[in-house]
Amino acid sequence: MKIHLKIWRQQDAKTKGKLVDYMLDQVDHHMSFLEMMDTLNEQLIVKGEMPVEFDHDCREGICGTCGMMINGQAHGPVPGLTACQLHMREFEDGATIYVEPFRAKAFPVKRDLKVDRSSFDRIIQAGGFITASTGQPAEANTLLITHESAESAFDSAACIGCGACVATCKNSSAALFTSAKISHLAKLPQGEKEAAKRVLKMVSRMDEEGFGHCSNTEACEVECPQGISVLNIARMNWEYTKANLLKD
Amino acid sequence: MELDAKIPAGPLENKWSHYKAQAKLVNPANRKKLPVIVVGTGLAGASAAASLAEQGYPVTSFCFQDSARRAHSVAAQGGVNAAKNYQNDGDSVYRMFYDTLKGGDFRAREANVYRLAECSLNLIDQAVAQGVPFAREYGGYLSNRSFGGVQVSRTFYARGQTGQQLLLGAYQALMRQVSLGKVILYSRHEMLDLVVVEGKAKGIISRNLDTGVIERFAAEAVVVATGGFGKIYYLSTLAMGCNGSAIWRAHKRGALMACPSWTQIHPTSLPQSGDYQSKLTLMSESLRNDGRIWVPKLANEERAANDIPEQERDYYLERRYPSFGNLAPRDISSRAAKERIDAGFGVGAQKNAVYLDFSKAIKEQGKDKIKEKYGNLFSMYKKITADDAYIAPMKISPAAHFSMGGLWVDYELMTTIPGLFAIGEANFADHGANRLGANSLLQACVDGYFILPYTLANYLSGELKKDKITVEHPEFERVEKEVVTQLNELCQIKGTKTADYFHKKLGKLLYDKCGLSRSKTGLTEAIAGIKTLRAEFYKELIVPGSAAEINGELEKAGRIADYLEIAELMCHDALSREESCGAHFREEYQTADGEALRDDKNYCYVSAWEWAGIDAAPVLHPEPLEFEFIKLSVRSYS
Ligand SMILES: Cc1cc2nc3c(=O)[nH]c(=O)nc-3n(C[C@H](O)[C@H](O)[C@H](O)COP(=O)(O)OP(=O)(O)OC[C@H]3O[C@@H](n4cnc5c(N)ncnc54)[C@H](O)[C@@H]3O)c2cc1C
Ligand code: SF4
Ligand code: FES
């Protein structure tokens, strides 16, 4: 098939970027979207041009590295997929595809489609952990956790830290990402003890990093490749209120 | 060079506790004076960095991804083993030790393997304390499943994302230390060389992948936890950035490489669909608990899977290995699949796959149960292939997956360069010639959480009174210059062929000649072929842009330059071992029914290789394997 690409090219955070047109033919519909991008890059390199820089690593939807807006949607048109899992069979022959970086104040562009998401790491550093040093913890089966709690904690813990929720949100809020970690840990007895401290610290770090506020549009849930539910945000708000009430 | 594995004396069960009781310690006030570099933030690196920082050592940590959480441990699906015997099905530390040693075809050290099994108990406790949401029974107890090569249920899992959940536990522990200022983490930094001063590892040279800046880092010890290099085959289950560069540069500075050709080819990956393909996605081995593997009895069968009647299907694993059936170990399952595919029984458009069929399990247990166990794998399968595995069988095929080989380490996980440690998949240690499923997440964690914190202290205690080396030392300058020169050279070739062109060629060559089966002729041809390809690489490569900026192509080119050397060593390694064992199958050495023929009389050793220069043959240093506690037997799964 033939594809017309309009790809965002930008030298670095300081330089202005623009959309550049590329034509690609002989695209196989079994190709993944990123393999299509590889094919384009191979052609650019041989012509002596700079290839399009984009983030990717595992190419199986779990590392959260690949992130780009495809036709205005984070990770492209198919719900529940990361960009690396998207295949060209989802597009029509002759289609025009817009490819742009995730945009948010807290995700500055490094080059082309690559953005800086280190703010996510700093949110986790603020409290997204259980204070359990390496050593001799209690025998695992002395702590009983119901099947339902474990499964529900897992649902929250499945977040891959890709940032699609931020890129999709009109306020560039990181509420879905942050709340997923807060819920994962608060749902487990091991994590409950620090829940109050954790939520206060993580929420304040999220604000400091320049993410916007959540106004409950729920767009994030729709674009999240891991299906992280907005109920996590409700849980975060509840934990936050509880923590503030019990603070003094 | 005499290799000393430093195995403690005494009965098997007491070796590790003895070691711990006698290892030298560093007092808490002095730990601050002993900085440590940990390269890699996968399960091995993150667990080591966090644990060492908790103890009070100043840690500097590196990864090439933009976040430590993205290390490829994240992709492990199936689970992690531990001899908890929660299922009361006869498991024990000893049984796990024996299964692992046997699974590795008796080509690993007894003492190491026993320690792995012993520490597995503690790991599950540790992970639970960190909040890893393992699968649970309704009563709240931890749940288990079985994996290949064993007859007990000792695998702990978190749906199909066990690696992700374990890694997040380690990553969060690491982030806690970062927030306390005890770890300085450099993401998007690639280690490009090791600095050895007066025979000891004292630092590294790295490149900032976002700016191109070359930096020097000094420390009292360097820990390499850079994962596996199976990406050398190009098509593999590894991530695009996985590489052998850190261990290879260390090798060229004097660390021996052990059994580099021992690569696990995983039986259940998705088949290649075209030349453009960049990676092969793994379908977890746990699927073999309920899925049955078969091919049509008729060669070049044209009918769809569901149209082939039961009696015209060949369940070849059940036929050849009745007591293990579909759960036969990976090397055996992969080879059996290749045998059927090569004989013309392969299925799918490219005739390069076999079926993995769930219809019986769905009939017996119901679709909901299967969905609960493997739901995410089935949906992953659908995302990639557009096919529904609840309706028709999956098509799977073998793919390069795991490097048993790596830097040679002693019982203390130290390489032949004092002060250089290698942990996780980057070393050769516990898995012998074939790794059992769910044992490597375990090994990476155990190395980092439980072993290194003791053995590193034992080494560092001796460094306390020595003069401190800083990055001003002339050796740092010399190595840095070499790194810069090489990067510029790669940019200057200005040929016409991209890095991927060479990687694909190398991968195919290696898969054909040094993959699932090897022969003297094939390996000799491969060595010549690699030399030619390497010469072409330095003439024809094109890298756009410069070394002083973000440059993904330069990153690739550097890794492939190293792969082109590692590949040659792999072939020498495979050639020199005139026996078949585990994943190393030499066509010349097989039984009448096509099983591996081991030669314990002549090859019961670990092949450790010394670098002798680009034009010289590598030098072999065998480390004899002595079996004090078990009797070597023929690995039989029939
Ligand atoms: C798809 C897949 C599924 C698997 N499933 C299972 C399973 O179910 N059970 C099981 O036990 N095992 C499984 N394995 C194997 C297991 O996941 C790995 O062996 C293990 O996670 C390796 O951990 P590691 O810490 O050694 O390396 P990795 O997790 O690969 O980490 C390597 C780290 O090193 C860094 N790095 C690499 N090179 C450099 C460099 N030059 N400079 C700086 N940093 C560098 C990377 O950034 C990364 O942080 C699976 C493997 C794969 C590929
Ligand atoms: S919540 Fe979803 S969209 Fe947001 S970072 Fe996590 S996985 Fe990505
Ligand atoms: S590359 Fe890992 S999620 Fe897409």
Side-chain angles (χ1 to χ4, degrees), chain B residues 138-156:
Chain B
Y138 284 96
Y141 291 98
L142 286 153
S143 178
N144 291 112
R145 55 164 65 137
S146 317
F147 251 50
V150 303
Q151 288 170 313
V152 294
S153 276
R154 68 162 72 101
T155 306
F156 293 77

Side-chain angles (χ1 to χ4, degrees), chain B residues 4 25 34 50 93 125-126 157 160 214 246 265 281 288 304 307 328 342 380 393 400 454 483 554 567 592 606:
Chain B
D4 180 6
L25 298 174
L34 295 166
V93 169
D125 305 340
Q126 176 76 29
Y157 62 101
I214 303 293
I265 313 273
T281 302
R288 291 201 274 144
D307 298 336
D342 290 350
M380 187 197 242
Y454 286 94
V483 166
L554 178 62
V606 172

Side-chain angles (χ1 to χ4, degrees), chain A residues 42 60 121 134 139 181 190, chain B residues 86 128 171-172 279 498:
Chain A
E42 291 283 297
E60 53 179 286
D121 285 331
T134 309
E139 154 59 41
K181 188 47 65 194
Q190 311 90 300
Chain B
Y86 285 161
V128 167
Y171 158 78
Q172 288 162 201
K279 86 157 274 166
T498 63

Side-chain angles (χ1 to χ4, degrees), chain B residues 476-511:
Chain B
F476 274 89
E477 191 173 326
R478 196 178 72 84
V479 177
E480 183 186 299
K481 263 208 192 106
E482 282 181 30
V483 166
V484 172
T485 311
Q486 197 219 359
L487 291 171
N488 291 336
E489 264 170 24
L490 291 173
C491 294
Q492 291 315 318
I493 300 171
K494 298 214 181 302
T496 54
K497 292 183 175 126
T498 63
D500 275 352
Y501 166 86
F502 292 100
H503 197 171
K504 286 182 186 179
K505 279 202 120 168
L506 176 68
K508 172 127 185 33
L509 183 80
L510 215 51
Y511 190 80

Side-chain angles (χ1 to χ4, degrees), chain B residues 40-41 43-44 64-65 73 78-79 191 243 402 425 435 438 440-441:
Chain B
T41 61
L43 271 170
F64 68 75
Q65 290 93 348
S73 291
M191 167 178 166
N243 65 87
F402 181 86
E425 196 175 334
R435 168 186 74 103
S440 54
L441 289 177

